[in-house]
Structures are given as structure tokens and as C-alpha cells.
Amino acid sequence: MKQVQSFNTYEVVVREYEAEQDRTGAEAVDRLCDVSPSGGVSLFMDLLGDPLCRVRNSPAFLMLVAETCGPAEREIVGVLRGCVKTITCGKTAPRNSTGAAGGGAGPIFTKAGYILGLRVLPSHRRMGIGLKLVKRMEDWFRSNDAEYSYMATDKNNIASLRLFTHHLTYTKFRTPRILVHPVFAHPLPLPNSTTLLRLPPSFAESLYRHLFSTTEFFPNDIDAILNNPLSLGTFLAHPTHPVSYTSLDHFLAHPPASWAVLSVWNSSSLFQLELRGVARLKKGMAWTSRAVDRMVPWLRIPSVPNLFRPFGGYFLYGIGGEGPQAEKMVRFLCRNAHNMAREGGCRVVATEVAECEPLVKGIPYWKRLSFEEDVWCVKRLADEYGDEVVVGDWTRSVPGSSIFVDPREV
């Protein structure tokens, strides 16, 4: 099905992406649109020749294109991607086996559509093309029984926020932080006082369902994520002691006093990034730090990698833990991920956490490379309720201390 919008000399058709005929045009739109412009510096994203790569690993996905149809040659002027999945949106009240209060809380699942990769050529903006693309995507979400639609954008992307909050009735929902750490030319030391375990996917799945099942945005198909070839492993750290864990039940029955867990996702296989618009002085300072590091590597100077040419990165997800040394264990795991990224030829390691994430102090990052406020907006796709209070309406819920960021949506 197509949706057509008329302009002065041409029409714009919104339709599903067709790889054979649309690939070149869709790539051109992505290439001409920078991501998160801020203060003259922009982040260019190269999808490595696969316009579907950011949604292809999701259980249900769709890509739309907006195409001009007029006297001149047809041209793709806008693209949009979306996916639908089942996620946690809250938890039930704690109850025991008799139905009285006092037992453990269980997760509340919902189907949600996620909007990402909205791009419109600069020459065709302010014409309602983005609005048409999003409305068509919302129709697809509804046809797949999605109850909510949500999206994420940088707080400085005023045009995107205005489109979703003013014209599409989305509301600002959560403001997580994107934390980015550069990958240095030398490995970071890992202390012998901490034990590092690589968990089998089945163990990791059970642990995550135990730890995060009631955390917002936790994907019900976590097993598919952990078994995806892009997931490079799940790692658990705890202070070294003689106990060797053989199963999740064994771990939960005799847990160490402190421990932490995280998984590593290979985003560099999907896309590459590049910083543009950076002042020559800052580029020179970064180059100098690398030059000095090469001359005196034994000093382990924290040099700035070359982020002004295409680079890849690893994404850390499923960060959690317990105990008084949990932050220290998270820091150990982040160091291990840094060394993995170094061996994989990446230049950054990144993660995204809730604004009040309790373990954030254990995550090393550089403030100048990070985004302190990533705005997530949400919309309820069910019937309109006006001012009536809706029981169970996720859009009106109080944020928790943590969120689970799906690496497939990064």
C-alpha cells in the first residue's frame, strides 16, 4: 500500500523499501544526513552498504522510503526504520502463593514499536515528509498489535523533538545517558584479585531473566540477542575465591559478596561512525596525543584515537551486579571490553544507561565524547483516553533506576 502527498510540482509516495531498486537511493539519503548535530560538530553514520542493518536482527522489522513522483526522475528523499518486539514495561505488585502481598513481583510485558533512522534530505525538509513516514510506520505497528511506539533522539535535535512531541503527540519519557570511552593503543591491566568468567548463552539468559525481568525495556527474546553472532559474549566478574560455579542455581544459592555482569555487542559489523566539523586545533591535539603515545608507549598515555575518519565500536549492554564492590567489578568488566575492542580494531566502547543508574560510577567514559541526555519519547497507540487516568498506562509511569537497552537498536 502506498501513501501519496502532493507538492507544487511533484508528489511524494511513502512505501515499503525494496532492496533491489531502492538500495542506492536509501544509502544516499543516509549519507547526506548527519546524526545529532550539536555546536557545529556532527556524527556521520555509514551503514556499510546495508540500509536494513539497524533493524534486520529484530523479530519484526520494516523500512519505509519516501519517493518523489513528478516530471523529473524519481528520487528517494526520506527513509525510516522500525521494529516491533515484546518488552517489559513494569512489574506486578508483589504477592505470595495465596495471593496476599509479600511475594516477588513479576514482569508486565507489552508489544512496542521502536522508530529509528528517520532521515529526510535537507532539500526536502519542512514539507511534512517525516510526518508521513512516521504515521505510516505507526499504522504498521498497530497492525502488529503494538500497544506503544517509542523513539530516541539527542536533546539538541529540536526538529525531531518538535515533530514527535508537537505533531505526533509523543511525550518525553526517559532521559538516559550515552557513555563513550576511547580505545587506547595499549591494553588496560586487569588485576589478579578479580575473577573473570565467560558465561554460556544459556547461563547468561537465565541470569538476565532473574536480574532484569522487571526492568523497563527488557526484551522477552533476550535469548535471540545472546545467541546472535554479533553478541561477542557475556562476562561475569567477582573477587577471586575458590568457589567454582556450575549452574545458575549454584550461583544464586552461594553468590559472591560482590559481582557484576555485562555483555558485548559488535556494532562495528553494522555501521561505522565519523566525527565531522571538529576544529583543527582539537584534531591537532588528538594527533599529538597519539604521536607521543607511540614514542613512549611505556607511559601508557591515554591518547585520543582518530575519530575523524570512519571508525567502529563495541556496545556494552546488560550491565548489572550486586554487593559493595559491584562498581569495582563493573569497572573491571569495562576494562576487559576495552581490551576486546582494541583487539577487534575498534576506537570506542559505548553503553547507554538510565539517568539514575546505580552502577554508573563503575563505567569509565569521556564526557566530551558522551551524550549526557538522550531523550526517549513514547506514545500509546491504543484508543485515545483524553484526560482520563488509565490504569496500567506506561506513558504515565515513574522511571525506575535502571533500563535495559537492546543492542539491536543502537
Side-chain angles (χ1 to χ4, degrees):
M1 184 178 73
K2 298 180 179 179
Q3 293 183 355
V4 181
Q5 182 171 5
S6 297
F7 293 95
N8 293 335
T9 58
Y10 57 84
E11 293 180 333
V12 172
V13 175
V14 174
R15 58 173 175 79
E16 292 188 24
Y17 168 79
E18 298 178 16
E20 291 186 4
Q21 69 179 47
D22 298 335
R23 185 168 187 164
T24 300
E27 288 178 0
V29 173
D30 282 323
R31 188 169 54 252
L32 292 171
C33 296
D34 291 333
V35 181
S36 302
S38 177
V41 178
S42 60
L43 189 63
F44 173 72
M45 177 180 289
D46 182 358
L47 299 183
L48 299 177
D50 183 6
L52 285 170
C53 69
R54 296 186 68 194
V55 291
R56 189 182 296 280
N57 292 289
S58 298
F61 61 88
L62 176 71
M63 180 169 172
L64 299 175
V65 297
E67 181 183 51
T68 58
C69 303
E73 183 179 354
R74 291 173 177 264
E75 179 187 14
I76 292 178
V77 296
V79 298
L80 178 64
R81 303 161 183 87
C83 60
V84 174
K85 61 181 180 177
T86 301
I87 58 177
T88 299
C89 65
K91 57 185 177 181
T92 59
R95 292 182 177 276
N96 59 26
S97 58
T98 64
I108 299 175
F109 291 106
T110 189
K111 257 193 170 183
Y114 180 62
I115 292 174
L116 71 164
L118 174 59
R119 306 280 187 267
V120 177
L121 287 179
S123 59
H124 288 73
R125 292 173 184 170
R126 300 181 181 275
M127 297 180 179
I129 295 175
L131 181 67
K132 289 289 184 181
L133 284 165
V134 175
K135 285 187 174 181
R136 172 67 187 279
M137 184 63 73
E138 289 179 347
D139 289 341
W140 181 74
F141 288 164
R142 292 186 183 94
S143 69
N144 282 269
D145 301 319
E147 185 179 4
Y148 297 95
S149 173
Y150 70 101
M151 53 76 69
T153 189
D154 178 66
K155 68 175 182 179
N156 295 313
N157 194 336
I158 304 302
S160 179
L161 286 172
R162 182 173 298 167
L163 169 65
F164 282 93
T165 60
H166 290 191
H167 299 288
L168 289 161
T169 67
Y170 283 69
T171 57
K172 293 182 180 180
F173 189 56
R174 303 291 183 256
T175 53
R177 305 166 64 188
I178 300 176
L179 308 179
V180 182
H181 192 277
V183 174
F184 305 136
H186 47 80
L188 300 180
L190 301 177
N192 294 328
S193 59
T194 301
T195 296
L196 177 68
L197 302 175
R198 184 185 181 115
L199 305 182
S202 58
F203 191 125
E205 178 191 352
S206 298
L207 180 59
Y208 277 150
R209 291 193 186 279
H210 173 81
L211 188 63
F212 291 116
S213 64
T214 59
T215 300
E216 284 186 325
F217 298 97
F218 179 75
N220 197 33
D221 65 336
I222 184 64
D223 55 323
I225 299 174
L226 295 170
N227 285 286
N228 191 295
L230 296 175
S231 194
L232 302 180
T234 300
F235 303 89
L236 187 146
H238 63 79
T240 300
H241 61 72
V243 177
S244 178
Y245 296 106
T246 58
S247 67
L248 179 64
D249 290 339
H250 184 202
F251 177 83
L252 295 177
H254 306 281
S258 298
W259 59 274
V261 64
L262 64 74
S263 296
V264 183
W265 181 268
N266 184 8
S267 298
S268 66
S269 294
L270 300 175
F271 55 82
Q272 290 189 328
L273 302 169
E274 179 183 349
L275 280 178
R276 294 180 175 179
V278 179
R280 289 186 179 181
L281 176 60
K282 292 184 177 180
K283 284 186 177 181
M285 293 172 63
W287 180 89
T288 300
S289 71
R290 294 192 298 273
V292 174
D293 192 21
R294 286 193 297 268
M295 289 188 292
V296 287
W298 57 88
L299 294 180
R300 295 183 176 272
I301 295 173
S303 58
V304 182
N306 188 353
L307 305 179
F308 317 114
R309 292 185 178 180
F311 64 90
Y314 284 175
F315 184 78
L316 312 183
Y317 68 100
I319 299 176
E322 296 178 354
Q325 296 187 66
E327 290 180 1
K328 180 180 178 181
M329 298 299 102
V330 167
R331 189 173 297 108
F332 178 94
L333 291 172
C334 290
R335 282 173 167 257
N336 177 66
H338 169 280
N339 294 344
M340 291 175 60
R342 175 180 172 273
E343 294 177 1
C346 295
R347 296 179 199 164
V348 297
V349 174
T351 190
E352 188 163 12
V353 298
E355 183 180 11
C356 299
E357 168 58 47
L359 296 177
V360 70
K361 291 183 179 179
I363 303 173
Y365 67 96
W366 281 20
K367 189 172 183 178
R368 289 188 177 181
L369 299 179
S370 302
F371 298 85
E372 289 295 324
E373 186 176 317
D374 191 34
V375 181
W376 290 18
C377 300
V378 68
K379 176 180 180 177
R380 185 178 173 91
L381 297 176
D383 296 337
E384 298 294 332
Y385 293 95
D387 294 330
E388 179 184 353
V389 176
V390 181
V391 176
D393 186 352
W394 188 25
T395 66
R396 306 185 186 191
S397 65
V398 177
S401 59
S402 299
I403 57 174
F404 194 101
V405 179
D406 191 330
R408 297 172 297 190
E409 299 175 356
V410 176

